[in-house]
Amino acid sequence: MFEISRRRAARQYFWGASLSLSLSAAAAALALVAGLLGSVAQAAAISLLNVSYDPTRELYEDYNKAFATYWKAKSGDDVTVNQSHGGSGKQARSVIDGLPADVVTLALAYDVDALASQGALIPANWQSRLPSNSTPYTSAIVFLVRKGNPKKIRDWSDLVRPGLEVITSNPKTSGGARWNYLAAWAWALKQPGGTDATAEAFVKKLYKNVPVLDSGARGSTVTFVERGIGDVLLAWESEAFLAVKELGHAKLDIVAPSLSILAEPPVAVVDKVVDKRGTRKVAEAYLKYLYSKEGQEIAAKHFYRPRDLEVAAKYANQFPTLPLVTIDAVFGGWSKAQATHFSDGGTFDRIYSQ
Amino acid sequence: MSYNFQTSYSTASRKRPRRLYLGRIILIAVTLAFLAAFLLLPLLAVFTQALAKGVGAYLAAISDPLAWSAIKLTLWVAAIAVPLNLVFGVAAAWAIAKFDFRGKSTLITLIDLPFAVSPVIAGLIYILIFGAHGWFGPFLQAHDIRIVFAVPGIVLATIFVTFPFVARELIPVMQAQGKDDEETALSLGANGWQTFWRVTFPNIRWGLLYGVLLCNARAMGEFGAVSVVSGHIRGLTNTVPLHVEILYNEYNYTAAFAVASLLALLALLTLAGKSILEWREPELYHAARRQQAIQRTRRS
């Protein structure tokens, strides 16, 4: 009797096992077929990959649609632009490690320089290939504060008050954070009796008031706006306007300091990738279209300062007037600023580790 | 085992009823409060946030093409990683529990490695190996093969972090069962394959199913390692957890929590599956025990 039941049990186990095995095999096969079909469907149209920094998500979502329409009318081809966003330094690192970006639209020139110096993906003179230092739009660094400015934050000098919490991201990984840091430095330098030593002391005091360093600008915005941490956010002008627009005027105010820095987020075609993929023509057109009236309008609508004078005049009212210094004038360009301030063992390491 | 524990417990409670009764209430209350605060509340928050703008917004968020491509990618990755780890896990557990060989303890340590290593490191390992400047980078680029920042990299990273689940679940079960049954089968003329399917497998199948459930839950939920190798290309290399982060960072809170609720639902289903197994297992456990006893009396 036991013999029979055991044999039956064994048979049941066997069929159960076979059934589950064949089911999982079928599932795997289905997934494989679906994947193959998917890749075939993708290959039929031209696709570009734009690797960008954190706060440009909304800008490029709009711009990619406009460019697809423009390119369809011009060449008859369908083009899909895929987006990847993250901290600017981190994104550059990914492209160097092999992320196949046709174009990069990063937060600052140094990160694009890295593609030339560390990856040999683009020539060293990339910045002269497009007008205005390869920067189709610019921005500035402003303050975002709680509604009604309860802590009375008006200028950089207010940020070092004891007990105030300043939110900014990590300059090691975030482009916006590097602009924040340099803007603070430039302001301190322009004060009466300002030297590199007084500027360093000021920036050091400022970072003493920073409770948390996120890795990207958008992370910092979420920390400040959604999690409600901190009294003031140092932000890209575009990011500040977007936060106010998305989350209502009832919660936040923008404060323009007495001096800020002209933030130039550059764009570049990644030669090694486009030549391999055969997408050079459309990638170049993609970046050139940013300089067109339509491209400039879209940038302005997303609170980036347009380069085109006509479009800039049209949207002049929307931006606060504030004196802007350039990185070339105050810091002698990005390579120098990066080496002095943000390289390992540079000024930022010195002031933040102490 | 659990049966024995309960018997001894009930004898003890008969001796000192009052104190144990109070202690029991306090213990249960503390446990429940802790569970509610740290597990139930966040879970509830996910679902309330997800449905904050109504069922329509919830469905719209889930049926968004980008959300769909993330869901499809996640399912695909799990469909590859879980069966592979099932085979590896069973093979490893079988070798460890049923055979003696040199370096066995080293093998057990190696299986645990993915639990010990931070997922970020797990991701970076693959960048160092397959990245453009990694060991195989130039070769892969020359042959136009994409591993990192593409689906293969995501699959590899997922296999790495989910590797221990099946093996870890099976080793104790297999060790507890010993080798007697297998040796009997072999001495009666069964070959290795028959022995595995008819003797070993029936004994481990519940443990195996549980291991697979856990493995699958982690494969679909993994964030850190996948985030490093994904490249974050929207609609192409974003898995569900990465997509949730993106939506959250775009001020799209309802959509973020709607997609997150899918992962939470998966966790709940996994737990339900586990409870069903535990509910059925004692029966099977005792059945197996009875059979062993019968076999032993027969043999003697």
Side-chain angles (χ1 to χ4, degrees), chain A:
Chain A
M1 194 176 86
F2 288 126
E3 200 57 49
I4 293 166
S5 70
R6 251 170 75 203
R7 211 179 289 156
R8 194 196 294 151
R11 209 182 303 137
Q12 271 178 1
Y13 291 143
F14 181 76
W15 287 118
S18 317
L19 187 70
S20 57
L21 250 190
S22 47
L23 271 180
S24 56
L30 263 180
L32 207 71
V33 171
L36 283 175
L37 285 178
S39 54
V40 169
Q42 278 157 26
I46 310 172
S47 75
L48 288 181
L49 176 59
N50 176 3
V51 172
S52 193
Y53 60 112
D54 241 351
T56 54
R57 300 154 192 265
E58 293 77 10
L59 164 66
Y60 281 110
E61 204 180 323
D62 268 9
Y63 177 75
N64 290 347
K65 277 181 213 147
F67 177 72
T69 317
Y70 160 79
W71 190 249
K72 177 89 181 164
K74 197 180 171 205
S75 70
D77 291 333
D78 286 311
V79 57
T80 319
V81 185
N82 295 307
Q83 287 293 139
S84 169
H85 295 276
S88 184
K90 197 183 95 193
Q91 293 290 79
R93 184 74 245 169
S94 292
V95 175
I96 292 167
D97 280 335
L99 181 62
D102 297 280
V103 298
V104 289
T105 52
L106 295 176
L108 42 89
Y110 181 79
D111 288 333
V112 187
D113 277 339
L115 302 189
S117 62
Q118 294 192 39
L121 296 168
I122 55 172
N125 69 345
W126 63 271
Q127 205 159 11
S128 58
R129 292 193 296 187
L130 283 167
S132 315
N133 280 336
S134 289
T135 314
Y137 43 80
T138 65
S139 192
I141 298 302
V142 297
F143 305 163
L144 195 63
V145 296
R146 310 276 170 212
K147 188 74 196 172
N149 199 356
K151 295 279 166 99
K152 306 266 176 295
I153 297 157
R154 309 253 177 262
D155 204 359
W156 292 99
S157 55
D158 295 317
L159 300 184
V160 296
R161 285 205 310 251
L164 200 82
E165 287 196 334
V166 181
I167 303 297
T168 174
S169 41
N170 186 353
K172 291 276 187 178
T173 51
S174 155
R178 271 176 266 179
W179 290 114
N180 293 343
Y181 171 105
L182 293 176
W185 190 287
W187 175 84
L189 213 54
K190 292 274 151 113
Q191 299 314 297
T195 62
D196 276 342
T198 61
E200 183 172 332
F202 173 77
V203 174
K204 186 174 173 176
K205 237 171 133 189
L206 197 161
Y207 276 89
K208 282 251 184 307
N209 280 348
V210 178
V212 47
L213 284 180
D214 285 291
S215 71
R218 185 53 65 86
S220 286
T221 313
V222 170
T223 297
F224 180 76
V225 172
E226 184 60 16
R227 293 169 60 202
I229 295 176
D231 301 307
V232 52
L233 172 76
L234 306 187
W236 294 94
E237 187 177 53
S238 56
E239 185 76 352
F241 274 108
L242 182 73
V244 170
K245 188 179 137 201
E246 289 282 334
L247 295 142
H249 301 262
K251 278 174 152 177
L252 304 162
D253 276 334
I254 292 171
V255 172
S258 66
L259 181 102
S260 190
I261 196 161
L262 180 74
E264 296 176 295
V267 300
V269 165
V270 184
D271 299 68
K272 212 169 159 184
V273 175
V274 292
D275 288 342
K276 189 163 197 172
R277 297 190 62 224
T279 47
R280 179 176 280 282
K281 209 174 119 203
V282 54
E284 279 173 352
Y286 179 75
L287 293 187
K288 278 204 186 99
Y289 189 61
L290 277 170
Y291 290 88
S292 70
K293 286 270 185 282
E294 295 83 359
Q296 294 282 296
E297 285 261 353
I298 293 171
K301 273 184 196 133
H302 287 274
F303 310 108
Y304 288 87
R305 294 175 178 233
R307 288 284 196 187
D308 184 280
L309 293 175
E310 228 172 90
V311 182
K314 187 175 159 194
Y315 286 89
N317 290 337
Q318 107 181 354
F319 299 106
T321 44
L322 75 173
L324 297 171
V325 296
T326 65
I327 182 157
D328 293 336
V330 181
F331 298 93
W334 257 113
S335 301
K336 216 174 147 207
Q338 179 77 22
T340 320
H341 295 280
F342 308 117
S343 59
D344 285 332
T347 319
F348 176 74
D349 279 348
R350 205 160 63 229
I351 63 170
Y352 201 69
S353 61
Q354 277 173 12

Side-chain angles (χ1 to χ4, degrees), chain A residues 96-98 272 276, chain B residues 126-148:
Chain A
I96 292 167
D97 280 335
K272 212 169 159 184
K276 189 163 197 172
Chain B
Y126 290 105
I127 303 272
L128 286 178
I129 298 176
F130 299 113
H133 296 273
W135 294 350
F136 301 115
F139 171 84
L140 293 172
Q141 287 214 320
H143 293 80
D144 217 7
I145 304 168
R146 304 223 70 86
I147 301 222
V148 286

Side-chain angles (χ1 to χ4, degrees), chain B residues 35-295:
Chain B
L35 279 179
F38 287 91
L39 297 176
L40 233 52
L41 208 66
L43 206 61
L44 211 71
V46 168
F47 285 101
T48 20
Q49 276 280 353
L51 293 167
K53 285 185 187 160
V55 180
Y58 181 85
L59 291 178
I62 288 176
S63 54
D64 177 78
L66 287 177
W68 255 113
S69 73
I71 292 168
K72 268 193 288 192
L73 178 62
T74 297
L75 290 177
W76 198 27
V77 168
I80 299 170
V82 174
L84 282 176
N85 272 337
L86 190 149
V87 174
F88 295 152
V90 170
W94 205 30
I96 285 167
K98 309 277 176 182
F99 300 93
D100 288 313
F101 53 92
R102 274 176 138 198
K104 194 160 136 175
S105 57
T106 318
L107 185 63
I108 297 177
T109 314
L110 273 179
I111 288 174
D112 277 344
L113 185 74
F115 276 164
V117 166
S118 157
V120 177
I121 308 294
L124 282 176
I125 291 168
Y126 290 105
I127 303 272
L128 286 178
I129 298 176
F130 299 113
H133 296 273
W135 294 350
F136 301 115
F139 171 84
L140 293 172
Q141 287 214 320
H143 293 80
D144 217 7
I145 304 168
R146 304 223 70 86
I147 301 222
V148 286
F149 307 119
V151 178
I154 298 174
V155 173
L156 280 175
T158 307
I159 290 175
F160 183 90
V161 293
T162 58
F163 184 75
F165 284 95
V166 173
R168 267 284 136 204
E169 205 58 45
L170 287 185
I171 290 170
V173 177
M174 281 182 157
Q175 273 174 341
Q177 252 133 23
K179 313 177 205 174
D180 292 358
D181 293 1
E182 277 86 355
E183 276 164 6
T184 313
L186 289 171
S187 70
L188 289 175
N191 64 29
W193 192 240
Q194 284 171 324
T195 310
F196 177 76
W197 274 121
R198 305 211 174 173
V199 180
T200 311
F201 179 74
N203 283 328
I204 61 164
R205 55 187 190 141
W206 296 108
L208 183 64
L209 192 55
Y210 185 36
V212 166
L213 274 179
L214 282 184
C215 181
N216 184 54
R218 180 67 188 272
M220 290 187 175
E222 175 57 24
F223 179 84
V226 168
S227 172
V228 175
V229 296
S230 125
H232 303 272
I233 308 169
R234 319 189 107 200
L236 292 180
T237 64
N238 274 326
T239 59
V240 172
L242 300 182
H243 189 62
V244 170
E245 191 208 20
I246 286 181
L247 289 172
Y248 185 76
N249 278 344
E250 281 172 4
Y251 309 110
N252 229 330
Y253 303 118
T254 312
F257 281 102
V259 179
S261 74
L262 293 180
L263 285 175
L265 212 62
L266 173 77
L268 288 178
L269 283 178
T270 306
L271 285 181
K274 176 187 169 286
S275 313
I276 292 170
L277 289 188
E278 270 171 0
W279 173 59
R280 290 202 55 171
E281 202 165 18
E283 212 177 293
L284 269 145
Y285 178 78
H286 290 300
R289 260 297 159 84
R290 264 202 306 280
Q291 269 202 346
Q292 272 177 7
I294 291 161
Q295 277 168 8

